[in-house]
Amino acid sequence: MSQFPMTLASGTFRLDAVLDDRTRLSCRSDTRSGSEAHPIFAFVAALRGAGTSIETLCELCGCSIADGPVLASCDIEYLAPMPVDETYRVDARIAERIEKPSRRFGQAVHAFVEFSIGRGEDECARVRLHIIMPRSADHG
């Protein structure tokens, strides 16, 4: 098993006004006033802009996406506005990996994944996910 913490591949996320408008409409949010995107885009940018897929993340933790990873928690720290019509840099790392018995899953890996969403020199948001990954006998 690789060493943790583990830096993951960086990626980018393009946030355009049309996507923000459609998202706001779908969740019955207020229309955008100015250029600042809906706050959900910190989370969306983390998942869609990361240079590592959830499937690969599971593999790096010794698990399989076929076993059904579960999002246990999400913490978002907003640091600067995220205007629309910008491209954001997404850096990520697996900060911690803990394997332990689980009443629900048998054996499970708890991965704590941290994302930094930035634009230019500014860090706009930090997202920390706690993902529980069942560990089947096939991946032990």
Side-chain angles (χ1 to χ4, degrees):
M1 191 62 49
S2 298
Q3 291 297 106
F4 295 91
M6 176 189 291
T7 300
L8 302 173
S10 295
T12 60
F13 176 72
R14 177 73 184 165
L15 173 51
D16 63 44
V18 173
L19 178 60
D20 183 58
D21 292 340
R22 286 193 335 238
T23 300
R24 287 171 180 275
L25 183 63
S26 73
C27 64
R28 297 184 179 150
S29 181
D30 293 336
T31 57
R32 185 179 54 258
S33 170
S35 66
E36 192 169 338
H38 191 283
I40 192 64
F41 281 104
F43 179 78
V44 173
L47 292 180
R48 286 189 49 197
T52 303
S53 69
I54 297 297
E55 181 175 16
T56 300
L57 177 68
C58 291
E59 291 168 1
L60 291 170
C61 289
C63 299
S64 170
I65 196 165
D67 293 328
V70 176
L71 179 60
S73 69
C74 173
D75 294 310
I76 302 174
E77 181 181 5
Y78 299 97
L79 303 168
M82 290 181 65
V84 297
D85 297 325
E86 296 282 348
T87 298
Y88 294 87
R89 177 191 70 260
V90 181
D91 299 316
R93 72 186 197 121
I94 303 170
E96 192 173 8
R97 178 198 180 278
I98 302 167
E99 189 167 345
K100 61 184 183 178
S102 166
R103 287 186 307 232
R104 175 167 284 187
F105 302 118
Q107 195 68 10
V109 169
H110 293 250
F112 296 88
V113 187
E114 298 172 344
F115 301 86
S116 172
I117 293 80
R119 180 173 61 93
E121 296 297 315
D122 294 331
E123 185 178 26
C124 299
R126 291 183 191 139
V127 178
R128 181 173 167 92
L129 304 180
H130 172 195
I131 303 171
I132 301 172
M133 302 175 194
R135 188 166 169 137
S136 70
D138 297 344
H139 299 94

